[in-house]
């Protein structure tokens, strides 16, 4: 069995068993971990679009918010089961992304700003379409996560297991796409989009597919968050923090890797909330900004590639030591 496979199984086992056993009794810390994984899920969807699609998005709050509202409204007004509503929330975010497909002809900052404009449009729609969305007053009494086989998924530990499963599922889907012939074509596009078009690769279609997949993932985590907090209003659902925090997390952890964005979210959010915030109640985000700049300067590829490099360096030094012994 490959070492990477063993590491992945060990990591999953620790995530599913060790974390609830160690932290399950601390409701505050568990709530922070759940929030970190929500950010990590959005960061993963952002990284997928940037790494495979080659597009930088400033508007993932649109997908997060649409997914949250679709799931909340379907469960509140139509009485759909929570998990079915969450999946439809992701589908709703993907449908919202279809409206954005015309901006695929834009490149670089123009695409990023166009997506950002869509996020503002959806926020305005959620505010003004009060007959459906509740307007600025928002949606109250959103159904909580259900109880399954006697286990309350609405509890902090239950919510943690649900969001962790969502992250694992999205990471697995990301890895399958990246290793497929679509992923190979997408990575080739980064070197020369014109060359891939010459050999018959429809770059616009592939980019559109990545936008839809990324939107579905972000919408899924938005839907989960709506049922986790049981309340939703436009300024929260479409808040710019659902863009900035995932971008910071993805870059800090290593957006060209699969686990990097999730690792970055967990480290960045937990360190900021549990350490920096207690030390510097006002302006603690400044320290986080300094750390991000330091990471970009000293390890542009992010935290996960840096850890891998250090681990391989120690292994190499150990092997050389055993060789000379």
């Amino acid at each position: 069995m490959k070492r990477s496979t063993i590491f992945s199984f060990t990591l999953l086992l620790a995530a599913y068993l060790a974390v609830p056993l160690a932290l399950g009794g601390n409701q505050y810390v568990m709530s922070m971990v759940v929030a970190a994984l929500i950010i990590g899920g959005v960061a993963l969807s952002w990284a997928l679009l940037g790494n495979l699609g080659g597009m930088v998005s400033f508007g993932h709050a649109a997908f997060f918010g649409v997914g949250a509202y679709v799931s909340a409204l379907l469960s509140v007004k139509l009485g759909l089961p929570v998990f079915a509503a969450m999946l439809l929330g992701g589908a709703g975010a993907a449908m919202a992304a279809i409206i954005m497909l015309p901006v695929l002809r834009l490149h670089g900052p123009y695409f990023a700003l166009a997506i950002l404009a869509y996020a503002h449009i959806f926020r305005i729609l959620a505010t003004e379409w009060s007959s459906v969305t509740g307007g600025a007053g928002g949606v109250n009494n959103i159904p909580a996560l259900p109880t399954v086989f006697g286990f309350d998924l609405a509890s902090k530990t239950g919510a943690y297991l649900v969001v962790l499963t969502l992250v694992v599922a999205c990471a697995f889907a990301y890895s399958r796409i990246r290793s497929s012939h679509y992923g190979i074509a997408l990575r080739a596009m980064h070197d020369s989009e014109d060359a891939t078009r010459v050999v018959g690769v429809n770059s616009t279609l592939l980019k559109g597919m990545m936008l839809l997949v990324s939107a579905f993932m972000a919408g899924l985590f938005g839907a989960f968050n709506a049922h986790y907090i049981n309340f939703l209003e436009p300024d929260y659902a479409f808040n710019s923090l659902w863009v900035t925090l995932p971008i910071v997390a993805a870059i800090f952890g290593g957006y060209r890797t699969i686990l990097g964005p999730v690792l970055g979210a967990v480290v960045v959010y937990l360190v900021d909330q549990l350490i920096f915030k207690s030390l510097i109640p006002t302006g603690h985000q400044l320290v986080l900004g300094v750390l991000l700049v330091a990471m970009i300067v000293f390890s542009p590829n992010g935290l996960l590639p840096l850890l891998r490099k250090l681990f391989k360096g120690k292994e190499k030094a150990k092997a050389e030591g055993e060789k000379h012994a």
Side-chain angles (χ1 to χ4, degrees), residues 25-210:
N26 192 323
Q27 298 295 298
Y28 176 70
V29 173
M30 284 300 292
S31 67
M32 292 295 102
V33 174
V34 171
L37 287 177
I38 293 172
I39 295 168
V42 181
L44 188 66
S45 71
W46 183 89
L48 180 145
L49 185 63
N51 188 26
L52 295 184
M55 296 172 283
V56 176
S57 167
F58 289 162
H60 262 56
F63 308 136
F64 185 90
V66 169
Y69 263 99
V70 169
S71 185
L73 293 173
L74 287 176
S75 59
V76 169
K77 297 195 173 186
L78 299 182
L80 260 65
V82 169
F83 289 131
M86 285 172 55
L87 289 175
L88 289 174
M95 290 181 65
I98 293 176
I99 304 174
M100 304 178 186
L101 290 179
V103 303
L104 288 177
R105 65 186 67 185
L106 301 176
H107 298 279
Y110 302 104
F111 172 83
L113 292 174
I115 295 294
L116 177 62
Y118 275 105
H120 285 290
I121 290 171
F122 283 117
R123 180 179 61 80
I124 293 171
L125 284 174
T127 303
E128 298 299 327
W129 199 5
S130 57
S131 61
V132 175
T133 65
V139 183
N140 297 300
N141 300 318
I142 299 173
L145 296 170
T147 298
V148 179
F149 299 118
F151 184 71
D152 184 13
L153 296 179
S155 65
K156 299 301 181 186
T157 301
Y160 165 78
L161 294 174
V162 172
V163 73
L164 176 63
T165 302
L166 293 179
V167 169
V168 171
C170 290
F172 178 75
Y174 184 177
S175 67
R176 297 299 296 173
I177 294 172
R178 192 175 68 169
S179 61
S180 68
H181 61 279
Y182 296 110
I184 296 172
L186 286 161
R187 290 197 297 273
M189 281 167 47
H190 293 178
D191 297 327
S192 176
E193 187 170 334
D194 292 334
T196 54
R197 284 178 178 173
V198 169
V199 297
V201 175
N202 190 331
S203 60
T204 303
L205 177 62
L206 289 179
K207 285 184 176 181
M209 290 171 58
M210 291 305 99

Side-chain angles (χ1 to χ4, degrees), residues 114-307:
I115 295 294
L116 177 62
Y118 275 105
H120 285 290
I121 290 171
F122 283 117
R123 180 179 61 80
I124 293 171
L125 284 174
T127 303
E128 298 299 327
W129 199 5
S130 57
S131 61
V132 175
T133 65
V139 183
N140 297 300
N141 300 318
I142 299 173
L145 296 170
T147 298
V148 179
F149 299 118
F151 184 71
D152 184 13
L153 296 179
S155 65
K156 299 301 181 186
T157 301
Y160 165 78
L161 294 174
V162 172
V163 73
L164 176 63
T165 302
L166 293 179
V167 169
V168 171
C170 290
F172 178 75
Y174 184 177
S175 67
R176 297 299 296 173
I177 294 172
R178 192 175 68 169
S179 61
S180 68
H181 61 279
Y182 296 110
I184 296 172
L186 286 161
R187 290 197 297 273
M189 281 167 47
H190 293 178
D191 297 327
S192 176
E193 187 170 334
D194 292 334
T196 54
R197 284 178 178 173
V198 169
V199 297
V201 175
N202 190 331
S203 60
T204 303
L205 177 62
L206 289 179
K207 285 184 176 181
M209 290 171 58
M210 291 305 99
L211 180 62
L212 296 181
V213 173
S214 179
F216 177 84
M217 288 182 179
L220 193 61
F221 287 98
F224 167 82
N225 189 59
H227 294 284
Y228 175 61
I229 65 174
N230 312 122
F231 172 76
L232 202 60
E233 54 92 18
D235 288 339
Y236 172 79
F238 298 96
N239 196 294
S240 60
L241 286 177
W242 300 119
V243 181
T244 55
L245 282 177
I247 291 177
V248 169
I251 294 175
F252 188 89
Y255 85 96
R256 292 193 180 278
T257 65
I258 294 176
L259 293 180
V262 181
L263 174 65
V266 171
V267 172
V268 165
Y269 189 78
L270 293 184
V271 168
D272 180 55
Q273 293 294 312
L274 299 178
I275 299 177
F276 294 155
K277 192 174 181 179
S278 61
L279 296 176
I280 313 172
T282 303
H284 55 93
Q285 294 91 348
L286 293 176
V287 182
L288 197 61
V290 172
L291 284 179
L292 178 62
V293 171
M295 180 62 70
I296 293 173
V297 171
F298 295 105
S299 180
N301 292 326
L303 178 61
L304 186 60
L306 176 63
L307 293 177

